[in-house]
Amino acid sequence: MKKELIELRVNGRLHELAVEPNAVLLDVLRQELQLTGSKRACDDSSCGACTVLLDGVAMMSCTMLAISCEGQEITTIEGVSEHGSLAAIQKAYGDWGGAQCGFCTPGFIMTVKSLLAENPDPSEADVRAALSSNLCRCTGYNQMYDAIRSAIKAEREGSAVTK
Amino acid sequence: MSLPPFKVLRPRSIDEAVGYLEKHVANIRVLAGGTDLIPSMRQRLFSPEYVLDLSGVAAMRGVRPQSDGGVEIGSLTTLRVIENSGFLRQHYPVLAEAAATVASPVLRNMGTIGGNICLDTRCLWYNQSLTWRKGCGFCIKKDGDLCHVAPGGTKCWAAFSGDTPPALLCLNTEIEIAGPSGVRRIPLQDFYTGLGDSYRKLQANELVTRVFLPASSADYRGVYRKLRVRGSIDYPLAGVAVVMRHSSNGHSIGHIADVRIGITAVNPAPLLVKGATDLLAGKEMNDLLAEAAGDLAAKTAKPLTTSALTPEYRSEMIRVFTKRAVLAAAGMN
Ligand SMILES: Cc1cc2nc3c(=O)[nH]c(=O)nc-3n(C[C@H](O)[C@H](O)[C@H](O)COP(=O)(O)OP(=O)(O)OC[C@H]3O[C@@H](n4cnc5c(N)ncnc54)[C@H](O)[C@@H]3O)c2cc1C
Ligand code: FES
Ligand code: FES
């Protein structure tokens, strides 16, 4: 199949890429750009392990064509850390045991980022509703809620996440 | 599993989009949010030569209240925008509520109202990988001539499983369709055929461009109830929408002036329950009347074994949800 030349802006960097028209964004991120943080788990558009942000909004990178993403700002889990150190939500996930095998974690964190961008002070119900887009097959979800709650608190108070 | 090979066309306007459809009419598929089409292409339910990516057609997005009190919604408007629209939540609450139950929040960031209206019908024997379908025997809807759901039958029973169409039917919605010979506007009710395989009346060179909610259905109370296995992500296995208006009677709620009930996921088309208005209009709501509405809706539902839950259960839940929904719409839950 004839490849097409496209420009993708990922984590603030512009990449010029030749992609097959039927390539999904997830495969281009993982295989062309070696950004392997976003995962493929279900392959039927239901688990959220592949979640990335497009112009700040959470979307499933396994269910969109890379070619359709031209002109949008793509953020992956690799673009979440701040000035080389872990973002509050990443640190909190570690501290509270929000990840077990960790396969679902990048997707969950991107969903949380998109929630907090829209609503910096979500209620417990808002957090639970937002997280219903993602599936985890290891942990209870409670450690994740604990982590998210402490990250929100830290962000609000401008303090470091502490457990 | 990767997608089948295809070329992508990216129009910027409706005219350009229709031009592409006309040119490649034999082998083209429309891509809106892609949340139905992309999983289906992965399963090789569709292997088009061209995919028409509408995402660049800005004119097809947006919720635009009209001066007469109605509203026009561009078909590319995402379900997220619809569930969060203050205007729709206030004046057409049943639509905002139904939109908010579709799939998951992230899928609603992607999925569009046009895609929800045009959504392919679903069946346990159809929404499966190529290998799975080959192993079990291809069915009428795709590549074969037998039906696993009604063995010996020649009709396809795949169930229409979109959440917003029953709400839209209750609101007397019309849709605009653009094609090579211009635009036409039809009641949504006339869009569905009632067949599981060729389920919609849309030519391969046509697009759904706009959705119109008339002023005459604004400000009805609305309720949507949905049966699914999990509380998120899952498609409906039965769904009931109700809109209701009461006669104004000073400050207390009066008798029912008008009512409509729509059901989904239990037939090859979303349907309005016939006789609902005759049964309920002019009366005051009570438990017996709500029971009767439930029985009527359950008679309209004809679920078969197209999904993980039994037809008996889905039919019973149509009865129960209708009863609860009419009570809730009358402020009595
Ligand atoms: C895991 C999962 C769960 C889901 N759960 C639900 C659910 O609970 N309820 C529900 O209703 N849906 C559900 N869906 C389906 C889907 O997300 C929604 O129905 C969504 O609204 C589809 O819109 P889209 O823009 O993504 O459609 P697309 O996939 O882009 O299109 C769907 C179909 O409509 C055609 N089409 C789209 N737009 C137009 C147009 N403007 N003109 C002509 N043809 C058009 C396409 O060619 C295709 O055949 C689910 C999907 C997934 C993957
Ligand atoms: S891999 Fe994308 S949703 Fe599961
Ligand atoms: S931590 Fe293993 S799937 Fe979530």
Side-chain angles (χ1 to χ4, degrees):
Chain A
M1 213 184 336
K2 194 162 158 278
K3 291 192 174 180
E4 280 193 41
L5 212 55
I6 60 166
E7 283 187 351
L8 285 188
R9 181 173 286 280
V10 185
N11 301 330
R13 275 189 60 191
L14 197 61
H15 301 268
E16 196 171 287
L17 296 161
V19 302
E20 311 234 304
N22 68 346
V24 295
L25 178 60
L26 178 63
D27 289 336
V28 170
L29 292 173
R30 292 179 55 86
Q31 290 161 20
E32 305 293 325
L33 299 176
Q34 278 74 49
L35 295 172
T36 53
S38 309
K39 307 298 185 207
R40 166 174 281 124
C42 66
D43 212 20
D44 72 359
S45 306
S46 60
C47 74
C50 61
T51 306
V52 300
L53 306 186
L54 266 94
D55 289 339
V57 179
M59 303 211 182
M60 290 169 172
S61 63
C62 74
T63 309
M64 49 207 330
L65 302 179
I67 240 185
S68 309
C69 301
E70 261 196 306
Q72 298 183 75
E73 178 68 53
I74 301 161
T75 312
T76 69
I77 187 68
E78 289 87 350
V80 165
S81 64
E82 292 154 1
H83 316 297
S85 56
L86 293 180
I89 182 67
Q90 292 175 299
K91 173 146 190 333
Y93 249 74
D95 289 353
W96 292 88
Q100 193 168 323
C101 80
F103 207 77
C104 68
T105 309
F108 268 96
I109 290 187
M110 298 321 285
T111 300
V112 174
K113 288 298 275 182
S114 140
L115 167 72
L116 295 182
E118 200 177 300
N119 176 1
D121 192 16
S123 67
E124 179 79 16
D126 294 335
V127 175
R128 286 183 184 258
L131 263 56
S132 74
S133 298
N134 298 65
L135 294 174
C136 174
R137 293 287 96 136
C138 291
T139 73
Y141 290 74
N142 283 339
Q143 296 96 313
M144 295 196 210
Y145 295 124
D146 293 341
I148 294 161
R149 223 179 281 121
S150 83
I152 293 170
K153 187 160 167 274
E155 294 269 356
R156 199 173 29 214
E157 294 170 358
S159 60
V161 172
T162 44
K163 186 175 177 191
Chain B
M1 175 69 83
S2 55
L3 297 174
F6 50 73
K7 299 183 194 81
V8 178
L9 304 167
R10 292 187 286 165
R12 294 271 146 197
S13 70
I14 294 173
D15 283 350
E16 201 187 340
V18 170
Y20 280 135
L21 285 174
E22 175 67 350
K23 185 158 172 219
H24 304 293
V25 62
N27 216 336
I28 188 164
R29 279 271 146 188
V30 171
L31 178 80
T35 60
D36 178 36
L37 186 65
I38 293 199
S40 302
M41 289 197 297
R42 239 190 253 124
Q43 297 178 323
R44 300 301 185 268
L45 296 172
F46 303 108
S47 307
E49 194 180 333
Y50 292 92
V51 165
L52 183 74
D53 173 8
L54 295 179
S55 61
V57 188
M60 283 174 72
R61 283 179 208 280
V63 176
R64 290 179 285 272
Q66 304 294 293
S67 54
D68 70 350
V71 62
E72 174 192 307
I73 306 173
S75 65
L76 270 191
T77 309
T78 63
L79 295 164
R80 168 53 63 93
V81 166
I82 288 172
E83 74 178 289
N84 287 341
S85 153
F87 180 87
L88 294 176
R89 285 161 73 134
Q90 185 180 349
H91 299 293
Y92 299 93
V94 71
L95 175 59
E97 188 183 343
T101 70
V102 172
S104 69
V106 169
L107 280 160
R108 296 197 293 276
N109 288 337
M110 308 168 70
T112 65
I113 181 103
N116 203 239
I117 290 171
C118 295
L119 189 65
D120 197 4
T121 54
R122 300 184 62 78
C123 178
L124 264 180
W125 303 88
Y126 171 67
N127 300 100
Q128 301 288 353
S129 68
L130 179 61
T131 320
W132 196 104
R133 288 183 290 115
K134 205 173 185 176
C136 291
F138 292 125
C139 74
I140 298 175
K141 189 160 160 75
K142 180 66 184 162
D143 300 332
D145 54 10
L146 54 90
C147 179
H148 298 279
V149 167
T154 52
K155 187 178 169 211
C156 171
W157 291 98
F160 182 85
S161 309
D163 284 298
T164 69
L168 293 169
L169 288 176
C170 286
L171 296 169
N172 289 335
T173 298
E174 294 190 343
I175 56 173
E176 181 187 75
I177 295 175
S181 49
V183 294
R184 61 198 170 98
R185 188 166 157 165
I186 60 162
L188 180 61
Q189 205 174 351
D190 298 345
F191 184 62
Y192 301 104
T193 61
L195 305 174
D197 40 6
S198 31
Y199 60 100
R200 57 184 186 190
K201 291 181 203 150
L202 188 74
Q203 305 300 320
N205 56 10
E206 290 181 320
L207 272 181
V208 175
T209 43
R210 287 187 287 178
V211 178
F212 303 96
L213 311 186
S216 57
S217 357
D219 301 321
Y220 275 58
R221 287 163 176 255
V223 177
Y224 183 67
R225 293 286 178 267
K226 165 172 178 173
L227 178 69
R228 50 178 17 175
V229 176
R230 299 171 289 194
S232 181
I233 303 175
D234 291 337
Y235 279 91
L237 297 176
V240 177
V242 169
V243 300
M244 197 180 281
R245 190 165 57 78
H246 291 83
S247 64
S248 55
N249 169 17
H251 10 263
S252 75
I253 190 165
H255 62 256
I256 299 163
D258 194 18
V259 57
R260 283 183 291 277
I261 303 172
I263 59 175
T264 190
V266 284
N267 295 296
L271 292 176
L272 280 175
V273 174
K274 287 205 186 84
T277 315
D278 290 345
L279 177 72
L280 300 175
K283 306 200 180 121
E284 269 183 50
M285 183 54 72
N286 60 44
D287 277 347
L288 272 181
L289 206 53
E291 292 271 0
D295 291 343
L296 190 65
K299 279 200 201 104
T300 309
K302 302 265 185 294
L304 293 172
T305 49
T306 53
S307 68
L309 299 179
T310 65
E312 293 78 10
Y313 181 52
R314 285 156 64 208
S315 181
E316 174 63 8
M317 288 313 289
I318 288 282
R319 199 181 68 74
V320 170
F321 279 156
T322 303
K323 178 184 164 190
R324 290 184 193 160
V326 294
L327 285 171
M332 290 178 60
N333 51 342

